[in-house]
Amino acid sequence: MDIKREIDKLRREIEAHNYAYYERDDPTIPDFEYDALMRRLRDLEEQYPEYRAESSPTQRVGGRAAFSPVAHAVPLESLNDVFSAEELRSFDVRCREALGGPVSYVLEPKVDGLSVSLTYLGGSFASGATRGDGVTGEDVTHNLLTIENLPGVLRGQPPDRLVVRGEVYMSREVFADINADREANDLPPFANPRNAAAGSMRQLDPAAAAERRLSLVVFNIQELSGGWPDTHTETLDLLASCGFPVNTHAVFSDMEATYRAVLDLGARRDAYPFEMDGAVIKLNDLAARRTLGSTSRAPRWAIAYKYPPEQKETTLLDILIQVGRTGVLTPKAKLVPVCLAGATVTHATLHNLDFIAEKDIRIGDTVLVQKAGDIIPEILSVKQDKRPEGAEPYVFPQTCPVCGAPAVRDAGEAAVRCTGAACPAQRHRALLHFASRGAMDIDGLGTATASLLLSEGLFASPDDLYRLTPDDLAQLPSFKEKSAANLIDGIARSKSRGLARLLFALGIRHVGQKASQVLAERFGSMAALQEASLEELTSIADIGATTAGSLKRFLDSAQGRSLIEGLQTCGVEMTAPQKSGGEKLSGLVFVLTGTLARQTRTQAAARIVSQGGLVSGSISAKTSYVVAGEKAGGKLAKAKNLGIPVLTEEEFEAMLMEGS
């Protein structure tokens, strides 16, 4: 095979695997086989640079196309969400008080798609970009051109320069057709229209995007040469006259009428061709918008009302039991497929045995299902009047379904746990957790490789990973010399991840990422942490008695000491990097609440930590200061009740700068 043909073949093969992994969440080959293909392609492109291409999978991160970045001259802001009439009325009061007079609102459906900006020069479509982070997006012009109702040339007398904002979506009808076709061809269906639309915009081949039959709706002008209209409705009229498909809308002069229309819109949302996750309420007057302005992330002149989760009935086919890395047996409902919030739902969480018993959930029952936050499917209730004759109460297993060891329930806990120390399911999940991105981030150690290491007896404890040799791996099925060397290299690189990520990777009960970071910053080394008393641990903000007790038991156990010693012997780093910003906030605990104008709360938290302070998510007796931004709520009230000092953002800045 000549080199060009081999490169083209590799690219097509890798693209197919990327599609299966990222779009279908259904990988078709083990990680190490994928890595081998990618390495072969990269080697060929380095040896034969004349065949390099920007569209090659080697030029992308995480299987996604490295589309050119596009800076938005006018930010594509997000919206603050509200969920009740009271919150809408509060928004109305803020607008009226700030403007000192009457206002009018425009109501539009909130299309659940992918937000894009479109640039027209001289009346012709010039380019388009995704929203990205609102400041910088990605150029997807080639895929936008495949959208049938996107005007290539504007009608009438359009402005010389026009930048508009819209939403790319996949209609309900197209979504149903495509999924029916995929199922007929033994392909898994897409999860929901929004993800399908977003994935389509990231296709390298425009022909693939065209097959998705996407649609566009436009709802805002971002930039406009010449004079601006006075109202939002006039901008929509202008857009419609140019040939854009514009959002349906209505105008109201008071919030009560607006709220009634919001509810009516929600009741009719199934009649729209697109998925709708809420309603958008905007000030109509553009001058009023300029007066109110925006916060660091959202306009003050608009709000999004989010509808409650959609609920539907379906049948419970079976109750499946999964075994987690800590041995917890988690029940999961298998359902007759039902469409909820634009997604096909086949499974739902059942939480634990108490949840099943409390709701008296039985196999064969008709159940009411919703997606919590439109994300996680859950069972709300059982339709007792529809229960089939002979349905028996569910009996939770008393043994592990994987290893057969007794399953026990500790006093005071809802969880039932497998007691098998060598349970394959626990070890498999523990290994995947140890190697995951948030933990030790070991390249090439995915599900298939983990299963192989376990089945061949090469993994019983995390320190076993660091004793693996290329010869150990080369003897395994499907492992070749180069793939073995690459995994060994990935394991070696993970040694330098630092104390915080190591603590999280160990999978100690109740010790998550945040607690691991706090502990690493406080003690600086594993040795110091091992010497800490229970009292020292519980005195730290965000480290409660349960977390401290679990950590102390692990550190004092023979298994814990042996594991840490083994990892240390293998050269795994067990210290935390030194802070570079001084220790002026050492010993102080901050709680951030509300919206900060000059920075995000994440940025503020990073500045506190860099100067030796700690950031907590809740107020307690350990809290030193509360930093309150705009729209601070319950935490601010609690701080005042407890007499905890409250800082404005300006006072907080002054504290950080003091002595600098």
Side-chain angles (χ1 to χ4, degrees), residues 328-398:
V328 174
L329 273 59
T330 302
K332 183 178 180 181
K334 182 180 179 181
L335 307 169
V336 170
V338 61
C339 187
L340 272 176
T344 301
V345 172
T346 57
H347 295 86
T349 179
L350 290 173
H351 302 292
N352 51 53
L353 66 86
D354 288 340
F355 182 86
I356 295 174
E358 178 187 335
K359 296 186 181 296
D360 188 21
I361 297 172
R362 307 183 186 188
I363 295 173
D365 276 342
T366 297
V367 293
L368 185 65
V369 185
Q370 78 169 22
K371 294 187 78 177
D374 283 347
I375 299 174
I376 304 171
E378 63 179 3
I379 291 177
L380 293 178
S381 62
V382 173
K383 298 297 181 180
Q384 300 280 356
D385 58 326
K386 297 183 179 181
R387 171 165 288 165
E389 187 175 348
E392 296 289 337
Y394 180 73
V395 178
F396 208 85
Q398 296 181 320

Side-chain angles (χ1 to χ4, degrees), residues 144-174:
L144 287 166
L145 285 167
T146 68
I147 298 176
E148 189 173 342
N149 69 339
L150 183 149
V153 177
L154 301 181
R155 296 197 303 251
Q157 296 181 323
D160 290 336
R161 177 177 174 81
L162 176 65
V163 181
V164 301
R165 181 175 178 180
E167 202 83 1
V168 172
Y169 67 90
M170 180 178 285
S171 72
R172 298 174 191 267
E173 181 181 2
V174 170

Side-chain angles (χ1 to χ4, degrees), residues 211-483:
E211 291 176 358
R212 304 289 176 81
R213 293 178 284 160
L214 300 177
S215 299
L216 170 75
V217 64
V218 172
F219 56 83
N220 202 53
I221 293 179
Q222 298 294 104
E223 299 179 62
L224 175 66
S225 61
W228 276 76
D230 294 325
T231 65
H232 179 64
T233 51
E234 289 172 350
T235 66
L236 294 178
D237 291 341
L238 172 60
L239 292 172
S241 70
C242 290
F244 288 105
V246 299
N247 228 342
T248 57
H249 56 280
V251 181
F252 301 92
S253 59
D254 68 90
M255 185 53 72
E256 296 308 313
T258 305
Y259 179 61
R260 289 193 295 272
V262 166
L263 297 181
D264 179 64
L265 181 64
R268 295 183 292 106
R269 54 179 161 163
D270 282 346
Y272 283 78
F274 44 72
E275 288 295 327
M276 184 194 310
D277 59 350
V280 180
I281 299 96
K282 309 173 181 178
L283 282 179
N284 193 24
D285 186 86
L286 300 189
R289 293 184 182 186
R290 290 190 288 272
T291 298
L292 291 183
S294 301
T295 67
S296 59
R297 62 172 295 275
R300 294 187 176 93
W301 43 263
I303 207 83
Y305 182 95
K306 301 303 286 288
Y307 294 119
E310 186 179 7
Q311 301 175 356
K312 286 187 178 177
E313 290 184 11
T314 188
T315 302
L316 175 65
L317 296 174
D318 199 1
I319 295 178
L320 312 174
I321 301 294
Q322 296 179 321
V323 183
R325 63 181 173 84
T326 61
V328 174
L329 273 59
T330 302
K332 183 178 180 181
K334 182 180 179 181
L335 307 169
V336 170
V338 61
C339 187
L340 272 176
T344 301
V345 172
T346 57
H347 295 86
T349 179
L350 290 173
H351 302 292
N352 51 53
L353 66 86
D354 288 340
F355 182 86
I356 295 174
E358 178 187 335
K359 296 186 181 296
D360 188 21
I361 297 172
R362 307 183 186 188
I363 295 173
D365 276 342
T366 297
V367 293
L368 185 65
V369 185
Q370 78 169 22
K371 294 187 78 177
D374 283 347
I375 299 174
I376 304 171
E378 63 179 3
I379 291 177
L380 293 178
S381 62
V382 173
K383 298 297 181 180
Q384 300 280 356
D385 58 326
K386 297 183 179 181
R387 171 165 288 165
E389 187 175 348
E392 296 289 337
Y394 180 73
V395 178
F396 208 85
Q398 296 181 320
T399 58
C400 174
V402 176
C403 71
V408 300
R409 180 176 186 175
D410 294 336
E413 286 200 3
V416 175
R417 296 179 187 276
C418 165
T419 58
C423 177
Q426 291 186 57
R427 287 190 172 180
H428 186 260
R429 290 184 178 272
L431 175 52
L432 289 176
H433 173 74
F434 189 85
S436 65
R437 288 188 178 181
M440 301 304 275
D441 193 13
I442 300 176
D443 288 337
L445 212 171
T447 300
T449 299
S451 297
L452 201 55
L453 293 176
L454 286 162
S455 66
E456 296 295 325
L458 293 176
F459 177 86
S461 176
D463 52 327
D464 290 336
L465 287 176
Y466 298 98
R467 297 189 181 93
L468 289 174
T469 66
D471 288 342
D472 292 330
L473 298 177
Q475 298 172 17
L476 300 180
S478 303
F479 253 100
K480 296 183 180 179
E481 183 178 345
K482 195 165 185 180
S483 58

Side-chain angles (χ1 to χ4, degrees), residues 24-97:
R24 290 165 40 197
D25 197 24
D26 185 22
T28 49
I29 59 172
D31 293 348
F32 59 86
E33 291 184 24
Y34 175 90
D35 292 341
L37 293 173
M38 185 66 84
R39 283 192 298 275
R40 174 60 177 164
L41 177 58
R42 190 176 289 113
D43 290 345
L44 289 175
E45 289 178 345
E46 288 176 359
Q47 293 175 41
Y48 303 92
E50 64 269 29
Y51 296 136
R52 287 179 183 169
E54 291 185 4
S55 60
S56 172
T58 60
Q59 304 304 307
R60 281 171 280 146
V61 177
R64 298 294 188 154
F67 294 98
S68 302
V70 176
H72 300 301
V74 177
L76 273 64
E77 299 174 312
S78 58
L79 294 173
N80 290 321
D81 296 334
V82 296
F83 302 88
S84 67
E86 290 70 26
E87 291 175 295
L88 274 182
R89 293 180 186 117
S90 296
F91 168 72
D92 179 50
V93 168
R94 290 195 300 272
C95 289
R96 291 179 186 276
E97 288 181 348

Side-chain angles (χ1 to χ4, degrees), residues 438-619:
M440 301 304 275
D441 193 13
I442 300 176
D443 288 337
L445 212 171
T447 300
T449 299
S451 297
L452 201 55
L453 293 176
L454 286 162
S455 66
E456 296 295 325
L458 293 176
F459 177 86
S461 176
D463 52 327
D464 290 336
L465 287 176
Y466 298 98
R467 297 189 181 93
L468 289 174
T469 66
D471 288 342
D472 292 330
L473 298 177
Q475 298 172 17
L476 300 180
S478 303
F479 253 100
K480 296 183 180 179
E481 183 178 345
K482 195 165 185 180
S483 58
N486 281 330
L487 179 55
I488 293 296
D489 182 56
I491 293 171
R493 288 199 304 272
S494 75
K495 292 180 181 181
S496 60
R497 302 300 184 211
L499 179 60
R501 292 176 70 171
L502 174 61
L503 283 172
F504 177 59
L506 292 175
I508 305 166
R509 284 182 66 189
H510 307 299
V511 181
Q513 278 185 298
K514 184 174 182 180
S516 298
Q517 187 66 45
V518 168
L519 290 163
E521 290 168 356
R522 169 66 176 80
F523 292 97
S525 70
M526 183 67 81
L529 187 58
Q530 288 177 300
E531 294 295 324
S533 67
L534 186 61
E535 291 72 23
E536 287 179 283
L537 293 173
T538 53
S539 69
I540 302 170
D542 283 340
I543 305 297
T546 300
T547 300
S550 180
L551 174 62
K552 187 64 175 168
R553 284 191 295 274
F554 173 82
L555 294 174
D556 290 347
S557 69
Q559 179 188 3
R561 291 196 302 271
S562 175
L563 175 55
I564 291 170
E565 183 179 344
L567 290 169
Q568 199 164 28
T569 301
C570 293
V572 176
E573 179 63 49
M574 295 198 176
T575 60
Q578 296 295 311
K579 299 184 181 73
S580 59
E583 298 288 331
K584 71 171 67 172
L585 302 182
S586 178
L588 299 180
V589 179
F590 292 78
V591 172
L592 304 168
T593 183
T595 302
L596 302 178
R598 302 179 183 179
Q599 61 209 305
T600 66
R601 280 165 35 183
T602 300
Q603 291 168 333
R607 296 175 69 190
I608 291 169
V609 170
S610 73
Q611 297 193 30
L614 295 173
V615 180
S616 175
S618 59
I619 294 174

